[in-house]
Amino acid sequence: MVTTMHWRLARSQLGLVLVNAPRVRLRPEIEGMQPYRQGKAAAEDAFKLSSNENPFEPIPAVLEAIASSSVNRYPDGSAIALRTALADHYALTPENVHVGAGSASILSQLITAAAGPGDEVVYSWRSFEAYPGFVAVAGATSVQVPNTADHRHNLDAMADAVTDRTRVVIVCSPNNPTGSVVTADEFTAFMAQIPETVLVLLDEAYIEFVTDDTAVRGPQLLAHYPNLVVLRTFSKAYGLAGLRVGYALGAEYVLDAARATTIPLSVIEPAQRAAIVSIEHQAELLERVAGLSVLRDTIWAALVEQGWDVPKPHGNFVWLPTGDITAWAADVFSDNGIVVRALGTDGVRISIGEHESVEKLLKASEEVVRKLRTAEG
Ligand SMILES: *Cc1c(COP(=O)(O)O)cnc(C)c1O
């Protein structure tokens, strides 16, 4: 029975507005979430250093691969050519490789595949902003373990947080946004404490920027840990953020579970082709990455010189723990033509971008650290 229409849709300048309408029933944990907020769009003359993107344009071979892709046909849903290229690169089989529309989408697939209502997902905090949302969408519960005072994962506390309800543990190295790495030794000690039935996701979105030999590198550990899946992406080092392509390496049955949750055909052909060409031109692309890592170290040294007490960064970004004055700090950067990512009352994350941005960045950071030191008295 249709009841009286006691509501109407009002067309205002703001779009459709429901007036006195009964609301449809949504999942409360989803309604309580904030939709993903992207790094602020930059003013024309500002440097957008808020999303850890690569400042370089694609190399000609990649542009050509994109331009020569057909788009009237669906892409190869199994992405077999790309998976084979990655498998060859890592000395694995294509079954041990899964590709997704960005490694963020694979994170979501794996969390959904392993954790549901009543289950827990353990990760460090602060870490990647997307983790809490993926866990909530899966219907599972986040267990966030605070970073140490020096902005690193507290791996012992994370291991202690694992219970019978834990289905997934996420380790992010280098950690977004704090830039710290987990060492290979620390990771080994950590894995020894984690039950083999718990899925461990090692998120290595920034691994190509790491120059520290002691840092953990996931692919070579896969043979030791059947419950480990390593996630990497073409978005950051390879400069393909706009094409959405990332990958996971791990046990076939786990990746099959991720594949089962996927929205089919979401990795488009231009992305698959550009990724293959990027692997072929890896040496050339990684030279650019090396340049960005050098620039990162230069910026970090200058920040320390200014009086910042910040951990050595290992990704393509630096972390400034600005605490309560974070919003103000972001404005100072913005006034100086730098768009940063402000994260709550914890700090700002600034991507390593164009050389031309450095002078402005350091001018702003100097003003912020002066205020911070004054506030500390
Ligand atoms: C950027 C990022 C990703 C993945 O990005 P995609 O563009 O979805 O591949 C994953 N993890 C972390 C920590 C990141 O910063």
Side-chain angles (χ1 to χ4, degrees):
M1 271 295 290
V2 178
T3 54
T4 330
M5 290 280 188
H6 65 289
W7 56 276
R8 64 193 170 89
L9 287 170
R11 188 173 271 289
S12 77
Q13 277 173 325
L14 298 170
L16 290 172
V17 181
L18 294 174
V19 181
N20 295 329
R23 292 165 62 86
V24 296
R25 290 166 69 172
L26 301 171
R27 288 168 55 194
E29 70 274 27
I30 303 292
E31 274 204 286
M33 285 170 63
Q34 289 247 12
Y36 181 77
R37 278 160 305 163
Q38 195 164 15
K40 268 195 223 164
E44 195 112 311
D45 55 346
F47 291 98
K48 182 177 181 293
L49 305 180
S50 53
S51 298
N52 294 348
E53 294 148 337
N54 196 309
F56 295 106
E57 290 291 322
I59 57 174
V62 166
L63 287 175
E64 199 177 301
I66 296 169
S68 65
S69 301
S70 71
V71 292
N72 59 313
R73 305 283 179 197
Y74 283 115
D76 169 16
S78 72
I80 191 62
L82 174 55
R83 283 166 55 215
T84 303
L86 286 164
D88 290 348
H89 180 67
Y90 290 107
L92 296 167
T93 68
E95 289 73 32
N96 299 124
V97 183
H98 171 44
V99 306
S103 64
S105 74
I106 304 178
L107 279 161
S108 174
Q109 293 162 14
L110 286 164
I111 291 168
T112 299
D119 300 331
E120 294 178 351
V121 179
V122 173
Y123 52 89
S124 187
W125 197 252
R126 269 196 184 268
S127 190
F128 188 28
E129 278 181 287
Y131 297 152
F134 294 157
V135 175
V137 169
T141 303
S142 279
V143 177
Q144 301 183 336
V145 178
N147 291 330
T148 61
D150 56 349
H151 312 284
R152 312 185 70 228
H153 280 18
N154 188 339
L155 291 169
D156 286 336
M158 287 172 70
D160 286 346
V162 172
T163 70
D164 286 348
R165 291 185 297 279
T166 308
R167 295 291 175 272
V168 183
V169 180
I170 310 172
V171 174
C172 187
S173 178
N175 186 45
N176 173 8
T178 61
S180 61
V181 280
V182 168
T183 69
D185 289 347
E186 287 167 344
F187 191 75
T188 303
F190 172 73
M191 288 303 280
Q193 300 174 70
I194 304 298
E196 285 171 319
T197 51
V198 171
L199 176 63
V200 177
L201 303 181
L202 178 56
D203 185 348
E204 297 191 326
Y206 301 97
I207 191 71
E208 295 87 354
F209 297 97
V210 175
T211 52
D212 184 337
D213 291 339
T214 67
V216 68
R217 284 175 174 74
Q220 61 228 52
L221 299 176
L222 288 168
H224 299 286
Y225 305 114
N227 57 333
L228 175 65
V229 170
V230 179
L231 294 120
R232 293 188 170 190
T233 180
F234 288 96
S235 294
K236 311 288 168 46
Y238 290 94
L240 300 182
L243 280 178
R244 315 303 304 123
V245 54
Y247 57 98
L249 310 172
E252 180 178 3
Y253 78 96
V254 178
L255 300 186
D256 278 345
R259 286 186 261 267
T261 74
T262 308
I263 296 166
L265 309 172
S266 50
V267 184
I268 62 174
E269 194 193 329
Q272 295 185 29
R273 288 204 186 199
I276 292 168
V277 170
S278 298
I279 297 167
E280 289 164 1
H281 291 260
Q282 195 173 173
E284 181 182 352
L285 288 164
L286 290 183
E287 242 171 74
R288 296 170 156 193
V289 168
L292 288 167
S293 296
V294 169
L295 185 58
R296 169 200 68 203
D297 292 347
T298 307
I299 292 171
W300 178 64
L303 290 169
V304 171
E305 185 79 13
Q306 286 180 353
W308 284 98
D309 180 14
V310 285
K312 187 177 191 325
H314 296 273
N316 64 338
F317 52 92
V318 292
W319 172 243
L320 301 182
T322 43
D324 291 342
I325 65 165
T326 294
W328 176 83
D331 287 343
V332 172
F333 280 97
S334 177
D335 292 346
N336 282 277
I338 302 284
V339 184
V340 300
R341 180 71 68 105
L343 294 166
T345 52
D346 286 349
V348 298
R349 189 196 65 200
I350 312 169
S351 312
I352 307 303
E354 297 81 353
H355 274 91
E356 297 75 29
S357 66
V358 176
E359 199 181 312
K360 293 178 172 191
L361 188 168
L362 291 174
K363 183 167 171 281
S365 63
E366 178 139 52
E367 183 177 341
V368 175
V369 77
R370 225 182 296 127
K371 170 99 168 184
L372 211 54
R373 294 290 161 262
T374 319
E376 282 170 5

